[in-house]
Amino acid sequence: MNKKDNIMLWRVFCCVGVFITHLALSVGVHGSFKVITDFGGKIAVYFFFAISGYLAFSRYLPDESPVSYWKKRLLRIVPLYGILICYYFVAHTFFFKDVPTDPYRLGWLRYIFFISDDVPAQDNFWRNLGMTWTICWFMLFYLLMPLLHRVINSLRRALLFCACAYMVFFLKDMLFGEWMSALKGLFFFSVGIAVYFAVKEHKENLLIFLFAWATFFFVIQGANNELTGIVLFGILLVATGDLKLKEGSFKKTVAAIDRYSFEIYLLQGVIFNDIVWNVMSVKNITNPVAIVLVAVIGTAVCAVAIHELLRVLIYDRLRKERA
């Protein structure tokens, strides 16, 4: 299936936005410019969920079994994620030696079973090690995806799911406290699902109208920025549906970053947490140029190397077997 240019562009926008947020934090950006750079960490990361909701429905095969779907999702996520968790276990257990006590005695099982953000954690180490908290949200959505695909088959049902998912988001803390935080992510995925059906049924104007009113609602309510941001992003996703990037260096650059976007998104956690914020900080290396070079080059090299390694070892072989 060919990638739509707007999906590719927005995914790169989100990936770069998250990276710039962490980079700005590393070099001590402050003032009004910090407000801009914080956008990636506070809002753009949620756009990934909407994009995934859209792609999940657009790529789900009509007669695909749940087991087949889950296998494909696991094969896409687990190899890279597994490498990261193995690295963090070795690095923090034997080298950094900073593994805290988990009051629930789950420890690394939190990451092995994708429940790091569903079980309360007193220390961020057990909730968001290496910026991996979103994997928990993705895996819950993919687990429910076969059921959602069976139940949601029109824009009307997609909008009903948006409303239900928002109620879950609104009531989650009241019902579950600090438990099951991944349930809040369903609302962000629902925005992408609604966009998919609006485009499919040629009802883009209707969805833009409804999301515009939803934006007003969230602004009036003084809602969290991610709620206002996600419905605005839904409008942007619809409005750019027919976007075509001109062939040339810009499109090639966007396509290249998009190809490695998943690796960039996850591997930057290693570079920022363990090298920039740990090793370089301990050695008092605060030169902004040095930090930028280490962050950019380190993330790029790791992302390309791991992506190509997994492609050769796993994905190319799978394609040959299916062919």
Side-chain angles (χ1 to χ4, degrees):
M1 178 178 179
N2 294 328
K3 296 179 182 178
K4 295 185 67 174
D5 283 2
N6 72 320
I7 294 294
M8 183 171 65
L9 188 62
W10 284 120
R11 190 155 51 189
V12 169
F13 171 82
C14 297
C15 181
V16 173
V18 172
F19 182 84
I20 289 177
T21 296
H22 297 136
L23 186 61
L25 178 64
S26 302
V27 298
V29 170
H30 58 276
S32 58
F33 192 62
K34 185 176 184 298
V35 175
I36 298 174
T37 59
D38 280 352
F39 172 82
K42 294 182 178 179
I43 300 178
V45 64
Y46 294 96
F47 296 175
F48 276 120
F49 301 131
I51 292 172
S52 296
Y54 177 93
L55 292 176
F57 267 74
S58 64
R59 294 176 175 176
Y60 198 97
L61 301 177
D63 299 323
E64 188 168 22
S65 68
V67 173
S68 175
Y69 177 78
W70 291 329
K71 282 182 178 179
K72 288 194 300 184
R73 291 295 85 205
L74 286 172
L75 281 172
R76 179 68 183 100
I77 293 175
V78 169
L80 174 60
Y81 178 76
I83 290 173
L84 280 175
I85 297 306
C86 288
Y87 160 78
Y88 288 128
F89 172 77
V90 173
H92 290 272
T93 301
F94 301 106
F95 293 96
F96 296 119
K97 297 180 180 181
D98 59 353
V99 179
T101 301
D102 180 4
Y104 289 95
R105 299 183 179 180
L106 291 172
W108 296 99
L109 293 176
R110 290 172 174 265
Y111 294 106
I112 293 173
F113 292 106
F114 311 106
I115 57 173
S116 60
D117 203 37
D118 286 330
V119 179
Q122 295 178 354
D123 194 296
N124 199 49
F125 185 98
W126 292 123
R127 175 188 173 267
N128 188 28
L129 180 61
M131 310 172 191
T132 57
W133 67 273
T134 55
I135 297 297
C136 185
W137 290 31
F138 279 115
M139 294 306 288
L140 176 63
F141 172 70
Y142 292 139
L143 179 65
L144 297 175
M145 180 58 199
L147 174 63
L148 296 176
H149 186 265
R150 178 172 296 186
V151 174
I152 305 172
N153 55 18
S154 66
L155 177 59
R156 179 178 297 181
R157 292 195 175 191
L159 291 172
L160 179 60
F161 178 58
C162 280
C164 293
Y166 172 68
M167 292 305 299
V168 171
F169 179 96
F170 184 75
L171 297 173
K172 198 283 300 179
D173 290 343
M174 184 186 306
L175 296 174
F176 301 105
E178 296 182 2
W179 295 78
M180 294 302 297
S181 293
L183 287 173
K184 300 177 76 171
L186 295 178
F187 175 67
F188 302 99
F189 288 105
S190 74
V191 170
I193 297 172
V195 171
Y196 167 76
F197 280 104
V199 173
K200 182 180 180 180
E201 298 177 12
H202 304 290
K203 296 179 179 178
E204 294 91 340
N205 289 338
L206 173 61
L207 188 67
I208 290 174
F209 174 79
L210 293 174
F211 276 4
W213 279 107
T215 303
F216 282 125
F217 171 76
F218 287 135
V219 169
I220 293 171
Q221 292 294 319
N224 296 335
N225 288 336
E226 59 263 28
L227 293 177
T228 307
I230 198 64
V231 289
L232 283 173
F233 179 67
I235 295 173
L236 290 171
L237 202 55
V238 173
T240 57
D242 296 326
L243 176 69
K244 297 293 182 183
L245 295 178
K246 184 179 180 181
E247 297 295 334
S249 57
F250 177 73
K251 183 173 182 178
K252 290 180 180 178
T253 302
V254 171
I257 297 174
D258 182 57
R259 184 183 308 117
Y260 303 111
S261 59
F262 182 51
E263 287 78 14
I264 292 172
Y265 178 69
L266 280 183
L267 289 168
Q268 65 175 290
V270 175
I271 304 300
F272 283 112
N273 278 289
D274 289 356
I275 298 180
V276 176
W277 300 340
N278 199 328
V279 175
M280 295 181 72
S281 178
V282 169
K283 294 185 177 182
N284 201 30
I285 301 174
T286 58
N287 186 301
V289 175
I291 292 174
V292 170
L293 288 175
V294 168
V296 173
I297 296 175
T299 301
V301 170
C302 289
V304 173
I306 296 296
H307 177 93
E308 295 303 322
L309 177 65
L310 292 176
R311 181 182 62 80
V312 172
L313 294 179
I314 299 177
Y315 302 120
D316 283 355
R317 292 184 178 184
L318 288 176
R319 291 191 189 98
K320 290 179 180 178
E321 290 178 4
R322 291 170 183 169

